[in-house]
Amino acid sequence: MPSTTFTYRVRYAETDQMGTYYNARALEWFEMGRTELSRTMGLPYTEWEQRGIFMPLIEASVKYRGRAAYDDLLEMTVSAGVEGRTRLKFSNTVVHAESRRPVCSGWTMHALINREGVPQRIPDWVLALGF
Amino acid sequence: MPSTTFTYRVRYAETDQMGTYYNARALEWFEMGRTELSRTMGLPYTEWEQRGIFMPLIEASVKYRGRAAYDDLLEMTVSAGVEGRTRLKFSNTVVHAESRRPVCSGWTMHALINREGVPQRIPDWVLALGF
Amino acid sequence: MPSTTFTYRVRYAETDQMGTYYNARALEWFEMGRTELSRTMGLPYTEWEQRGIFMPLIEASVKYRGRAAYDDLLEMTVSAGVEGRTRLKFSNTVVHAESRRPVCSGWTMHALINREGVPQRIPDWVLALGF
Amino acid sequence: MPSTTFTYRVRYAETDQMGTYYNARALEWFEMGRTELSRTMGLPYTEWEQRGIFMPLIEASVKYRGRAAYDDLLEMTVSAGVEGRTRLKFSNTVVHAESRRPVCSGWTMHALINREGVPQRIPDWVLALGF
């Protein structure tokens, strides 16, 4: 199963008045993970869209495991696989880069559609990337 | 189980280049629902925090069921209940206000902590609100 | 000069770890103001886009005047006018609804373009709205 | 005047249904610039806050100069200087990293306050960083 790991820092914008990252931002981070992984696999997601394949979320699940404040250095590991003939699933785990303390983890499930919104089977060129 | 229903409009900021609401915004909407419900139940969440009780998410689940564009009028129904002695669960359903077409649904699970981050049992004054 | 006034509450998502609204959110609020004003003037901005007129920002200015925390009830006044033959300017003022303490104020300047991004003069049907 | 330059990519979350970055996100990017610059100057902004100095915005100005889509590689240059004895001003310019096409530019003006919100003169240790 393809996977990649990268680090990033928490933006001030991503914190809230509880002094930790705002819960919805985890999903924004998961999206960064998909972007990084598709690039690592050799075909950035921008090119998927140029080829007419879009990958909207149909489901998301997040477990919040610990705090993360502004400028904390976080490390995400993201992996991906197919689910049947029409869906892709990405799994994300975020920890503090140095202490390895957990921050959040979860997954997103995606349908594949064309420009008109019609569901598509997973194209061969997606499977060929190694999903 | 306490619940409330209200309408709101999609902000331009909440859309993305796919022309629908960005996935993470669903969790921001769910938070609006918790805010509305706590007010309806007679004790706005701001007062919870003033009493020293905070309600961080420990888990979230979202199902994306349909598109919603800028300025669409949406209707959310949110309900809540206790899970054991230490957790609250809120459930949210969002549909287009007129057509009733589904937009998204899901739930968030919350721990209760004090200012120092120490887990708390659900206070009596929370239970008394009708959870 | 057309104007309108409305109230709204600060979302938890809009706060940051300084305990007040995050600075970029002011621009998101200003957008809510434009949405409300265009509706009040009789032609919601969604219909502008359906008629092929888009209104991207070319400049924005914000003055931050005071704090606003989660769930604070704010009141925005927004007004609009033409600038030459090709630009619209919206001005926004946000205060605490009860205390009238200032929160922020500013303006956004907009060009008008068509679907292809080509600059347009202000259409007669926009001027007829009362700008 | 201290300055630094770095690159970053547009997140999907940062786009809107016009197919370009949402206007408020420019201010979130400017904040990334301040974070990078303070680190480059030898004292990350997190340490400013630990020393009891906070730097809220009192004014912001943004000029929107061109489009940027999801995953575009952008380059920001950010510089900073003092304004009188109590204010810091940061200036930001964002261009497409390869084509040098402009994206946005602007500046933010900041007051310095302590934990209690009381305005402070610029501390010597801030001036010593090279502002």
Side-chain angles (χ1 to χ4, degrees):
Chain A
M1 192 160 62
S3 80
T4 193
T5 296
F6 63 97
T7 60
Y8 62 99
R9 288 185 181 276
V10 178
R11 298 181 182 180
Y12 213 99
E14 293 169 345
T15 64
D16 67 21
Q17 70 180 42
M18 226 185 286
T20 180
Y21 65 100
Y22 181 71
N23 67 81
R25 294 290 188 154
L27 287 177
E28 208 170 313
W29 296 344
F30 288 4
E31 173 227 302
M32 288 168 49
R34 298 191 295 276
T35 296
E36 288 305 308
L37 183 54
S38 66
R39 190 186 316 285
T40 301
M41 294 175 75
L43 199 72
Y45 178 65
T46 47
E47 297 191 30
W48 297 36
E49 291 200 347
Q50 282 159 21
R51 292 178 183 204
I53 288 291
F54 297 79
M55 193 173 70
L57 274 76
I58 54 175
E59 192 169 351
S61 174
V62 188
K63 292 195 177 175
Y64 299 92
R65 298 185 181 282
R67 297 169 64 86
Y70 162 64
D71 209 38
D72 282 357
L73 186 66
L74 305 184
E75 180 185 297
M76 180 186 289
T77 299
V78 50
S79 61
V82 298
E83 295 270 323
R85 294 181 174 181
T86 57
R87 296 180 176 188
L88 295 178
K89 183 180 182 180
F90 291 79
S91 299
N92 308 68
T93 303
V94 181
V95 299
H96 286 273
E98 290 195 24
S99 68
R100 319 305 298 169
R101 276 186 296 122
V103 176
C104 59
S105 61
W107 51 265
T108 53
M109 187 76 77
H110 302 259
L112 298 187
I113 60 173
N114 65 13
R115 276 186 217 290
E116 289 70 41
V118 181
Q120 305 288 303
R121 286 177 55 166
I122 303 173
D124 288 340
W125 54 262
V126 167
L127 293 174
L129 295 174
F131 277 94
Chain B
M1 192 159 61
S3 80
T4 192
T5 297
F6 62 98
T7 59
Y8 63 99
R9 288 184 182 275
V10 179
R11 297 180 183 181
Y12 213 98
E14 293 169 346
T15 64
D16 67 20
Q17 69 181 44
M18 226 185 288
T20 180
Y21 65 101
Y22 181 71
N23 67 82
R25 295 290 189 154
L27 287 178
E28 208 170 311
W29 294 345
F30 287 4
E31 172 226 303
M32 289 168 49
R34 297 191 295 276
T35 296
E36 288 306 307
L37 183 55
S38 66
R39 190 186 318 283
T40 301
M41 294 175 75
L43 199 71
Y45 178 66
T46 47
E47 297 191 30
W48 297 36
E49 290 200 346
Q50 282 159 22
R51 292 178 182 203
I53 288 291
F54 298 78
M55 193 173 70
L57 274 76
I58 54 175
E59 192 169 352
S61 175
V62 189
K63 293 196 177 175
Y64 299 93
R65 299 186 180 282
R67 297 170 63 87
Y70 162 64
D71 210 38
D72 282 357
L73 186 67
L74 305 184
E75 181 185 296
M76 180 186 288
T77 298
V78 51
S79 61
V82 298
E83 295 271 323
R85 293 181 175 182
T86 59
R87 297 181 175 186
L88 295 178
K89 183 179 183 181
F90 291 78
S91 299
N92 308 68
T93 303
V94 181
V95 300
H96 286 272
E98 289 194 26
S99 68
R100 317 307 296 170
R101 277 186 296 122
V103 175
C104 60
S105 61
W107 51 264
T108 54
M109 187 76 76
H110 302 259
L112 299 187
I113 60 174
N114 65 13
R115 278 185 216 289
E116 290 70 40
V118 180
Q120 305 288 303
R121 287 178 53 167
I122 302 171
D124 287 341
W125 54 262
V126 167
L127 293 174
L129 295 175
F131 277 93
Chain C
M1 191 158 63
S3 81
T4 193
T5 296
F6 63 98
T7 60
Y8 63 99
R9 288 185 182 275
V10 179
R11 298 180 182 181
Y12 213 98
E14 294 169 343
T15 64
D16 66 21
Q17 71 180 42
M18 225 185 288
T20 180
Y21 64 101
Y22 181 70
N23 67 82
R25 295 290 188 154
L27 287 178
E28 208 169 312
W29 295 345
F30 288 4
E31 171 225 304
M32 288 168 49
R34 297 191 295 276
T35 297
E36 288 306 308
L37 184 55
S38 65
R39 189 185 318 284
T40 301
M41 293 174 75
L43 198 71
Y45 177 65
T46 47
E47 297 191 30
W48 297 36
E49 291 200 346
Q50 283 160 20
R51 292 180 183 202
I53 288 291
F54 298 78
M55 194 173 69
L57 274 75
I58 53 175
E59 192 170 350
S61 174
V62 188
K63 292 196 177 176
Y64 299 93
R65 300 184 181 281
R67 295 169 65 86
Y70 163 64
D71 209 37
D72 282 357
L73 186 66
L74 305 185
E75 180 185 296
M76 181 186 288
T77 299
V78 50
S79 60
V82 298
E83 295 269 323
R85 295 181 173 182
T86 57
R87 296 180 175 185
L88 295 178
K89 183 179 182 181
F90 291 79
S91 299
N92 308 68
T93 302
V94 181
V95 299
H96 286 273
E98 290 194 25
S99 69
R100 317 306 297 169
R101 277 186 297 121
V103 175
C104 59
S105 62
W107 51 265
T108 54
M109 187 76 76
H110 301 258
L112 299 187
I113 59 174
N114 65 13
R115 276 187 218 287
E116 289 72 39
V118 181
Q120 304 288 302
R121 285 177 56 166
I122 302 171
D124 287 342
W125 54 263
V126 168
L127 292 173
L129 295 174
F131 277 94
Chain D
M1 191 158 63
S3 79
T4 193
T5 296
F6 62 98
T7 59
Y8 62 100
R9 287 184 183 276
V10 179
R11 298 179 181 180
Y12 213 98
E14 293 170 344
T15 64
D16 67 20
Q17 71 181 42
M18 227 185 286
T20 180
Y21 65 101
Y22 181 71
N23 66 80
R25 295 289 188 153
L27 287 178
E28 209 169 312
W29 295 344
F30 288 4
E31 172 226 304
M32 288 169 50
R34 296 191 296 276
T35 295
E36 289 305 308
L37 184 55
S38 66
R39 190 184 318 284
T40 301
M41 294 174 75
L43 198 70
Y45 178 65
T46 47
E47 297 191 30
W48 297 35
E49 290 199 346
Q50 282 160 20
R51 292 179 182 202
I53 288 291
F54 298 78
M55 193 174 69
L57 273 77
I58 55 174
E59 192 170 351
S61 175
V62 189
K63 291 195 178 175
Y64 299 92
R65 299 184 181 282
R67 296 170 64 88
Y70 163 64
D71 210 36
D72 282 357
L73 185 67
L74 305 185
E75 180 186 296
M76 180 185 289
T77 298
V78 50
S79 61
V82 298
E83 295 269 323
R85 295 181 172 181
T86 57
R87 296 181 176 186
L88 295 177
K89 184 180 182 180
F90 291 78
S91 298
N92 308 67
T93 303
V94 181
V95 300
H96 287 273
E98 290 194 24
S99 68
R100 318 307 296 171
R101 276 185 297 119
V103 175
C104 60
S105 62
W107 51 264
T108 54
M109 187 77 75
H110 302 259
L112 299 187
I113 60 173
N114 65 12
R115 277 186 217 287
E116 290 72 40
V118 181
Q120 305 287 302
R121 285 178 55 166
I122 303 172
D124 287 341
W125 54 264
V126 168
L127 293 173
L129 295 174
F131 277 94

